[in-house]
Amino acid sequence: MAQSEFKIEKAFLERLERLTIHWQKSFPGIVGGHNSSRFSGPGQEFLDHRNFTTGDDLRAVNWRAYMRLEKLFLKMFQIEPRVPIRIFLDASESMGLGNKWDYARRLVAAITYVGLVRLDAMQLIPFREEMEEGLSCGGGRHRFSPVADYLRDLKPGGKTDFARVSREFLSASRQRGLVIIVSDFLGEDDWLRPLQFMADFGHELTLIQVWDDEDRSPSAVGDLEVTEVESGKQVKISFDEKARAQYTASFDAYSEELRRLALRNEGRYSGLPTSTSVEDAVFGSLIAAQGLR
């Protein structure tokens, strides 16, 4: 899609400031969740002292205690809770069909802006056949411009291999947190198994399925030669009203499988046709699904 077509209106951003990214799990034992962590580190609330060791930050030394006891003690503070939020954006070739790419990027931009305003720790991760380096972001609304530039310059292309992406992600021993995936969830390979692996590892899933009307109910009829956009495979089919109804029923059944997978793992699912405006999707479907509140 042309670079000039991607934009986020100021009035929309102002409405987003009322929202918060929502998750349900408490992620016990790690920094994050809705409860305060007792990991030591930089913060505001004093926790304890420990003996100073070589390499420690001298700024954290309790110099008053040193004047009294002639021993170095390091002040430790309670870390502010931070749940890592990773936003996976499907950047494969199929997302470039119709309006999906621009729609998905605007959704990701909106969710990221909500997190920036709330000072969440986030990472944008485009993926195709493998997971890309992405962009780490946080620290307030004034950090949104680099995010918008990054999304504007991103182009769709290549095949999807989410099984490989999930293995790369999980093998890095990453801290558990909220994983938001924006995709059409289409392709030759299985999505359900790697998604379940992510949930089994302890991540909370928010699945946002984006589709064009042609994805769900193709308009073409007759004897067709169909080319799968990512693999290049060609198939000859006869397509009529009965076949369209069967195809749409299968599409809806697959979307229902995605929804059930998310819900049984304490996650969320939203199915968004691009005919729904991004504003209505954010303030309607995503809030209704409790991904935002």
Side-chain angles (χ1 to χ4, degrees):
M1 183 166 290
Q3 178 172 315
S4 60
E5 294 184 18
F6 176 74
K7 60 182 180 179
I8 302 293
E9 297 79 9
K10 182 178 179 181
F12 181 35
L13 293 179
E14 290 174 351
R15 290 187 67 196
L16 293 173
E17 300 210 5
R18 292 181 268 163
L19 301 178
T20 303
I21 297 175
H22 179 57
W23 59 85
Q24 298 183 113
K25 293 184 178 181
S26 61
F27 301 103
I30 64 172
V31 179
H34 298 291
N35 302 312
S36 295
S37 166
R38 292 190 63 82
F39 280 68
S40 60
Q44 295 181 348
E45 185 176 342
F46 176 75
L47 180 63
D48 202 352
H49 283 101
R50 68 168 173 81
N51 291 329
F52 179 86
T53 59
T54 303
D56 284 336
D57 190 347
L58 288 172
R59 292 173 296 181
V61 169
N62 187 332
W63 294 108
R64 291 186 179 180
Y66 175 75
M67 295 297 292
R68 295 195 311 269
L69 305 172
E70 296 186 357
K71 292 185 66 176
L72 292 174
F73 294 97
L74 205 69
K75 293 182 288 186
M76 297 187 297
F77 297 87
Q78 187 161 287
I79 296 175
E80 296 296 327
R82 288 290 184 272
V83 172
I85 299 173
R86 287 98 172 193
I87 306 176
F88 283 77
L89 172 60
D90 186 348
S92 65
E93 187 72 27
S94 71
M95 291 295 289
L97 298 178
N99 298 318
K100 288 186 290 187
W101 182 239
D102 185 56
Y103 194 89
R105 285 187 299 166
R106 294 191 73 224
L107 274 175
V108 168
I111 295 169
T112 304
Y113 186 81
V114 171
L116 286 173
V117 171
R118 302 301 176 191
L119 303 180
D120 289 318
M122 293 176 294
Q123 186 178 12
L124 302 184
I125 306 174
F127 67 93
R128 311 170 205 262
E129 287 186 279
E130 57 187 6
M131 188 174 68
E132 299 185 3
E133 182 177 352
L135 176 71
S136 296
C137 51
R141 61 179 63 79
H142 63 286
R143 301 291 181 89
F144 181 69
S145 182
V147 173
D149 292 341
Y150 178 81
L151 290 170
R152 182 178 297 111
D153 294 338
L154 200 59
K155 301 292 189 296
K159 299 179 181 180
T160 310
D161 187 348
F162 192 71
R164 177 178 177 179
V165 169
S166 65
R167 288 195 301 269
E168 290 177 350
F169 177 66
L170 297 178
S171 65
S173 301
R174 297 173 186 271
Q175 180 181 334
R176 291 175 294 162
L178 178 62
V179 172
I180 301 172
I181 303 174
V182 181
S183 173
D184 56 11
F185 295 96
L186 299 177
E188 292 186 300
D189 297 328
D190 178 29
W191 284 81
L192 299 176
R193 186 183 296 271
L195 287 170
Q196 186 61 56
F197 285 160
M198 279 189 163
D200 291 342
F201 194 83
H203 296 287
E204 182 170 330
L205 302 180
T206 292
L207 308 182
I208 302 177
Q209 185 183 17
V210 174
W211 69 78
D212 258 3
D213 290 340
E214 286 289 316
D215 289 333
R216 182 174 178 271
S217 183
S219 59
V221 293
D223 294 329
L224 308 173
E225 187 171 79
V226 179
T227 301
E228 207 283 321
V229 66
E230 293 185 11
S231 68
K233 292 181 179 179
Q234 294 182 331
V235 179
K236 292 182 179 181
I237 61 172
S238 293
F239 204 72
D240 55 18
E241 290 299 328
K242 181 179 179 180
R244 178 183 292 108
Q246 292 174 337
Y247 177 90
T248 300
S250 295
F251 184 97
D252 291 344
Y254 174 58
S255 297
E256 177 63 16
E257 284 189 272
L258 290 170
R259 188 187 72 85
R260 289 180 179 177
L261 184 148
L263 294 182
R264 71 170 175 260
N265 290 289
E266 300 181 72
R268 284 155 302 280
Y269 165 87
S270 291
L272 301 175
T274 58
S275 55
T276 301
S277 72
V278 173
E279 290 84 352
D280 287 344
V282 169
F283 289 96
S285 298
L286 295 187
I287 289 178
Q290 299 184 355
L292 298 174
R293 66 178 181 181

